[in-house]
Amino acid sequence: MARATHEVEYEQMLLSRHSFVNQRGKHRRDGSLERSAYILLSRLRVQGPMSIGELSDAFGLDASTLNRQTAAIMRTGLVERIPDPDGGMARKFRITDEGARVLHTEREGIVRSLEKVMVDWPEKDIAAFASYLRRFNTDIERLGARPWPRL
């Protein structure tokens, strides 16, 4: 079993060097998002408004890191700060209509890139690969006690 686990580690390392998400700017003129902005917007899109504390718990990051990330995407108009809809003290971040549009455009571009990579794959292979990735991710989330909401 160790041999297969070593192969998974190696292939995961190789996969991490490929980037379908731009890592240079938060929101560039060409519409590309930085990886952290893409992930943050994705979480807010699925879960709804979240405070810095909730984001910190969700990502396992300190509040100062999240303050920098949210401030950067707030300046671009992709998120906004709102009062807690449940009446709590902490203000929350909510994805804006522009943020949802940019996220959708970015996601569609990534899907098109993946379709080019897997153009010769049978649909059943793509579905199996997606299933294994979901299982892999949910097991990591379970061990870290940080589940990611699924659509």
Side-chain angles (χ1 to χ4, degrees), residues 20-74:
F20 292 106
V21 179
N22 174 7
Q23 297 188 12
R24 291 190 203 135
K26 300 286 185 216
H27 179 212
R28 295 183 355 174
R29 291 180 195 267
D30 66 3
S32 297
L33 291 169
E34 180 186 65
R35 184 177 179 273
S36 63
Y38 181 77
I39 294 169
L40 230 167
L41 289 172
S42 294
R43 183 67 183 242
L44 292 173
R45 176 76 172 90
V46 172
Q47 192 162 340
M50 297 176 75
S51 68
I52 286 291
E54 291 167 331
L55 290 167
S56 179
D57 289 343
F59 289 104
L61 297 171
D62 62 270
S64 63
T65 299
L66 286 160
N67 276 318
R68 283 191 303 277
Q69 291 177 355
T70 53
I73 61 174
M74 206 163 72

Side-chain angles (χ1 to χ4, degrees), residues 74-124:
M74 206 163 72
R75 282 192 299 272
T76 62
L78 302 180
V79 298
E80 61 188 350
R81 272 194 120 147
I82 61 167
D84 184 345
D86 299 324
M89 296 283 290
R91 294 177 56 84
K92 295 196 173 194
F93 291 93
R94 174 177 62 192
I95 191 169
T96 62
D97 289 343
E98 174 67 4
R101 186 195 66 72
V102 168
L103 179 62
H104 175 77
T105 300
E106 188 81 7
R107 183 164 281 136
E108 289 301 310
I110 293 168
V111 168
R112 282 192 302 278
S113 294
L114 290 170
E115 287 171 345
K116 289 177 186 175
V117 170
M118 296 185 269
V119 68
D120 295 326
W121 291 33
E123 188 63 30
K124 68 181 176 80

